[in-house]
Structure formats: C-alpha cells, structure tokens
C-alpha cells in the first residue's frame, strides 16, 4: 500500500528550511546485530525525492557522496551528476562534514589520536572535505568526533586530547581563512557511542571549549536532541544557552527514549512535549538556521517507509509550530504569562527590577526590608500553565 500524504496546512515547503543528511534517509538499516535491510538509495534519487517532498536541502559526509577509494575520474563524474541534480531540483547543500569514524584508521581517535600520522591524515581528509563542502555551496561545516574518546583512561590524558582537538580546530580555521572560504564550523557533542566515553561530551563542554580557540567567531555548535538526552539533560536548555551566546550554527533534530544508546528516532516520535518546547524556543528566537533531521527510518521499513519517515519528520515540526501559535493565542495562557511578566518587571521599592552593580545599589539592597512572608507563601500557577500547555498538545484545547 502506498502512503498518501495529506495536502494540508502542514505541507513542507523549501521556505521552512528542512534538511536531511544523505546518511539519514539513505540509511540501509545496518545495526551492530544485523545487516542492511534496505537497498542503498543513490544520492541522485535522494536529491530528487527530498525536493519532491518539500525539503530545502541535503547534507553529507564526504564519503556519503564520494567513496574513499574513488579515482579522480570517478570523483569528477559523481560530482557532475550530483550538482546536476541539485541544479535541476533547486535543492541546496547548506551543511557538509567529514567521516572521521568509519575507517579502521580512526579506531583510536582522529584529531585526538595518540598517533601523529593519524592526526595528520584526519587533517588531510577534513581539508579535502572542506574543499568539497565549499564547492557545493555549504556555509556550515560540522565536526562530530565519533572516535574522539577512550574505553580506558590508561593511555591518554584528557588534557592532551583537548589540546589536540584544539590544535586541529585552530588548524582548520586557519585553512579556511587562508583559502578565503566563508565556511563556519559547528561542533557536535555526544557523551558516548561509538567510544566508551567521548571527549567534550555535552553542548556545554563544547561551548566552553570554543572560547579557548584562536578564532572563536568562526566556531559554533550543532547540538543533537538524542545526544543531549543520552546525558539526561534538557535539550532546550542546551539550545537556549547556545542561542543566547550566538553560537547555534546548526541543529540535529531527532527523537530518543531516555537512558538508551543513540536511537536517532524520527523527530517528535518520542517526548512530544520536549519537542514542542524545542520548536517554541527556535520559533520564539526567530532562529534562521536549518532545521536538519539527523535520524534514521525504523529498521522495519522498506524504501517507501524511509520517505514516510522524511515527510513525517517535517510534518511534525510544522504541527508543533502551529501548536506554539495556539499556545500564544490561548487567552488563559496569555493571562498566566502576563502575570509572570508583571512579576519580572515590577519595581522592588526604589530598587528597580534589574540589578546592575553600583556601590549605592549594593547598599540599598543590603538595607531593603523584604516582605519575606509574602514571598514565601505566594503561588506561581505553574500547574495551571502546564496543564493548559499539555491540553494543547493533547488536542483538546
Ligand atoms: C553520525 C552521527 C551524527 C552526526 C553525523 C555527522 S554522523 O550519523 O550519529 O550524530 O551528526 O558527522
Ligand atoms: Mn548528529
Ligand atoms: Mn545521533
């Protein structure tokens, strides 16, 4: 039975800036316990189909498109056909990245390997991959260090790993500058898998690391829903901090059940409330970046199931976007939010409501008589506010 997609208000269009990695829709369903369950879908087929479904762009690792052992002639042909399909469909390549995890050469790390030959090879592969990204018009280059970690701390000091990772990112920034490439780097954190533990395991670790670089302005973040949830953290808080710092360069949207390996499930198929608050955060901030889906179709699916997965990822985002509009249009929610706003903006006597240090203000605050009993006994109405939100999500408001 062929799925029929509804033509309603949640129909994805290029203006929504939805993108997918070649490795996502094209994932053949291999896992550590079983082989591929779907035939490989060619890059050209993916470009055509994503365009038909209403996506804006496609992202790739160097080797998703050009096999590692391709000859110059093969590479030339692959690129000609791929750019031809992009031209015909109007699909863009807003982000590209390097595969520094699949080849056995990277088993002990890439940029953080103890072996200087491996570190230099990782730089070679990444520079070539940046050249490819720029040729395809990508503005963002993601660095995900899948093998940058350890199973045992016996052979590597974490300080050395961080220093090597810094050296590599500094090197790549200089390479981009030297070649007058406009590309910016987005670092992606993950706590573990495929290594026992990965260095720089959360978005927060990555953010702190960025400010130790030679060109922090060229480097931002690519947080992924599943990766932050694997650490038991609230994804919206990580994204909010990245936004506030002007460092949200890219985002990987997907779904994850708590306490598992990286499941890369379809966006909003799990934790709809978390997904709602994430969409609300991005839309409230009028964030102009790509809504990139880094997830896989269930292993149960055939090719049609893979396209369903892609279409529904975008559809769910648009449904949640409408729920956000509904949240703001709800009279009761408006009242409750206004009440919070009033609290935030009401002057505390002569002290005002924002507290920039001055000697005079410090003295005034120190001597201010606070009505503590009132503060202790007040209620904030968050049960009501959350229930209204929950009812919107449950579809009865
Ligand atoms: C890999 C990983 C993702 C990263 C990709 C970029 S590759 O699929 O699981 O989270 O974003 O290298
Ligand atoms: Mn990712
Ligand atoms: Mn993932």
């Amino acid at each position: 039975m062929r799925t029929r997609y509804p033509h309603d208000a949640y129909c994805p269009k290029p203006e929504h800036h939805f993108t997918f990695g070649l490795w996502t829709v094209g994932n053949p369903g291999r896992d550590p316990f079983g082989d591929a369950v779907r035939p490989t879908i060619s890059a050209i087929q993916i470009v055509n189909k994503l365009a038909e479904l209403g996506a804006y762009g496609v992202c790739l690792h160097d080797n998703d498109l050009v096999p590692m052992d391709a000859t110059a002639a093969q590479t030339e042909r692959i690129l000609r056909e791929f750019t031809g399909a992009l031209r015909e469909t109007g699909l863009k390549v807003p982000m590209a990245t390097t595969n520094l995890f699949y080849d056995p050469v990277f088993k002990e790390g890439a940029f953080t390997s103890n072996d200087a030959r491996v570190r230099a090879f990782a730089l070679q592969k990444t520079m070539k991959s940046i050249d490819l990204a720029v040729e395809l018009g990508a503005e963002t280059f993601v660095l995900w260090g899948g093998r940058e970690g350890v199973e045992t701390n016996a052979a590597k000091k974490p300080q050395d790993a961080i220093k090597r990772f810094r050296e590599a990112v500094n090197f790549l920034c200089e390479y981009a500058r030297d070649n007058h490439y406009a590309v910016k780097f987005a670092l992606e954190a993950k706590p573990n898998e495929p290594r026992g533990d990965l260095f720089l395991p959360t978005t927060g670790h990555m953010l702190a690391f960025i400010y130790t670089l030679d060109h922090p302005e060229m480097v931002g973040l690519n947080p992924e829903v599943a990766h932050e949830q694997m650490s038991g953290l609230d994804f919206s808080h990580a994204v909010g901090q990245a936004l506030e710092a002007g460092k949200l360069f890219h985002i990987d949207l997907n779904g994850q059940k708590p306490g598992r390996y990286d499941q890369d499930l379809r966006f909003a198929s799990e934790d709809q409330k978390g997904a709602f608050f994430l969409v609300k955060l991005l839309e409230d901030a009028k964030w102009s970046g790509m809504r990139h889906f880094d997830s896989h179709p269930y292993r149960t699916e055939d090719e049609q199931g893979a396209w369903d997965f892609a279409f529904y990822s975008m559809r769910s985002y648009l449904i949640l976007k409408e729920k956000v509009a509904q949240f703001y249009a709800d009279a009761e929610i408006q009242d409750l939010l206004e009440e919070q706003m009033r609290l935030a903006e009401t002057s505390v006597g002569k002290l005002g409501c924002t507290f920039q240090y001055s000697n005079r203000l410090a003295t005034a605050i120190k001597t201010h008589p606070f009505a503590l009993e009132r503060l202790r006994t007040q209620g904030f109405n968050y049960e009501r506010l959350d229930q209204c939100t929950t009812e919107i999500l449950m579809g009865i408001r």
Side-chain angles (χ1 to χ4, degrees):
M1 191 186 77
R2 226 187 125 79
T3 321
R4 280 167 197 266
Y5 299 129
H7 278 281
D8 54 15
Y10 316 113
C11 222
K13 299 192 185 76
E15 74 210 40
H16 297 128
H17 286 171
F18 292 127
T19 62
F20 290 85
L22 282 180
W23 70 93
T24 63
V25 270
N27 188 288
R30 220 172 263 116
D31 73 12
F33 300 94
D35 212 342
V37 291
R38 289 181 289 271
T40 313
I41 314 176
S42 78
I44 308 293
Q45 276 172 286
I46 293 178
V47 166
N48 290 334
K49 193 68 189 185
L50 284 181
E52 186 189 315
L53 293 179
Y56 173 80
V58 67
C59 307
L60 49 96
H61 296 89
D62 46 358
N63 306 134
D64 296 340
L65 186 63
V66 185
M68 223 169 136
D69 55 1
T71 62
Q74 283 165 338
T75 305
E76 207 262 335
R77 183 183 53 77
I78 291 169
L79 285 180
R80 191 170 7 92
E81 288 174 6
F82 186 67
T83 49
L86 293 175
R87 249 195 320 278
E88 265 170 41
T89 56
L91 215 70
K92 304 276 186 285
V93 180
M95 179 275 266
T97 179
T98 329
N99 187 326
L100 294 175
F101 43 88
Y102 195 81
D103 194 283
V105 75
F106 300 123
K107 63 187 164 194
E108 201 271 328
F111 297 144
T112 60
S113 171
N114 273 344
D115 189 329
R117 293 167 298 181
V118 174
R119 299 205 299 277
F121 176 65
L123 285 175
Q124 180 196 78
K125 193 170 191 293
T126 309
M127 285 190 285
K128 288 182 179 174
S129 185
I130 294 173
D131 296 342
L132 172 69
V134 171
E135 194 180 330
L136 295 173
E139 289 164 359
T140 308
F141 195 88
V142 163
L143 294 173
W144 175 64
R147 298 287 169 192
E148 315 295 9
V150 290
E151 285 69 43
T152 168
N153 286 333
K156 199 176 289 181
K157 285 190 190 144
Q159 300 97 304
D160 289 341
I162 301 298
K163 284 192 173 71
R164 289 172 189 162
F165 199 70
R166 180 184 301 117
E167 186 177 81
V169 179
N170 281 338
F171 188 100
L172 297 168
C173 285
E174 292 300 347
Y175 178 73
R177 285 162 58 86
D178 212 11
N179 286 281
H180 307 288
Y181 291 162
V183 75
K184 286 193 167 195
F185 296 92
L187 308 182
E188 180 174 344
K190 188 174 180 183
N192 59 274
E193 197 205 9
R195 300 302 301 270
D197 286 287
L198 295 174
F199 299 119
L200 298 164
T202 69
T203 300
H205 287 80
M206 284 292 189
L207 186 58
F209 170 79
I210 287 172
Y211 297 107
T212 70
L213 294 168
D214 290 346
H215 291 287
E217 74 285 355
M218 294 176 71
V219 185
L221 297 160
N222 178 41
E224 173 172 319
V225 177
H227 297 183
E228 217 65 16
Q229 288 184 349
M230 285 168 76
S231 303
L233 300 174
D234 185 295
F235 188 62
S236 284
H237 291 191
V239 174
Q241 193 174 353
L243 275 170
E244 205 272 338
K247 288 296 184 192
L248 189 69
F249 286 9
H250 201 261
I251 197 162
D252 278 357
L253 301 173
N254 57 17
Q256 172 80 11
K257 291 184 200 238
R260 314 277 167 101
Y261 65 95
D262 186 21
Q263 295 178 301
D264 288 331
L265 297 168
R266 191 178 74 258
F267 176 63
S269 63
E270 297 294 330
D271 184 21
Q272 284 85 19
K273 200 167 173 185
F276 167 81
F277 285 124
L278 175 62
V279 171
K280 179 172 175 297
L281 183 71
L282 297 175
E283 298 301 322
D284 282 353
K286 299 193 173 21
W287 185 64
S288 61
M290 297 297 130
R291 274 67 173 164
H292 176 246
F293 298 102
D294 184 9
S295 37
H296 303 155
Y298 297 147
R299 195 163 180 271
T300 48
E301 301 309 286
D302 60 7
E303 186 183 324
Q304 181 55 48
W307 301 127
D308 291 351
F309 148 87
F311 185 82
Y312 296 143
S313 298
M314 300 187 278
R315 180 172 169 80
S316 290
Y317 188 100
L318 294 175
I319 292 171
L320 288 172
K321 190 173 162 181
E322 191 186 276
K323 296 276 177 195
V324 172
Q326 211 184 324
F327 173 94
Y328 283 118
D330 188 292
E332 196 173 351
I333 291 182
Q334 263 176 29
D335 281 353
L336 291 164
L337 291 179
E338 266 164 32
E339 176 57 26
Q340 292 309 311
M341 203 61 132
R342 252 196 310 280
L343 276 179
E345 288 171 359
T346 304
S347 240
V348 186
K350 290 189 179 133
L351 304 178
C353 64
T354 55
F355 310 109
Q356 272 292 324
Y357 186 85
S358 71
N359 185 271
R360 195 205 264 213
L361 183 59
T363 308
I365 290 179
K366 272 176 100 176
T367 54
H368 186 79
F370 289 96
L372 287 186
E373 215 30 46
R374 255 185 86 190
L375 299 183
R376 283 182 186 127
T377 52
Q378 72 182 332
F380 282 82
N381 257 328
Y382 290 171
E383 287 286 2
R384 186 71 209 136
L385 179 58
D386 185 76
Q387 182 65 16
C388 292
T389 312
T390 304
E391 288 185 12
I392 285 180
L393 288 174
M394 286 173 159
I396 62 143
R397 261 180 110 83

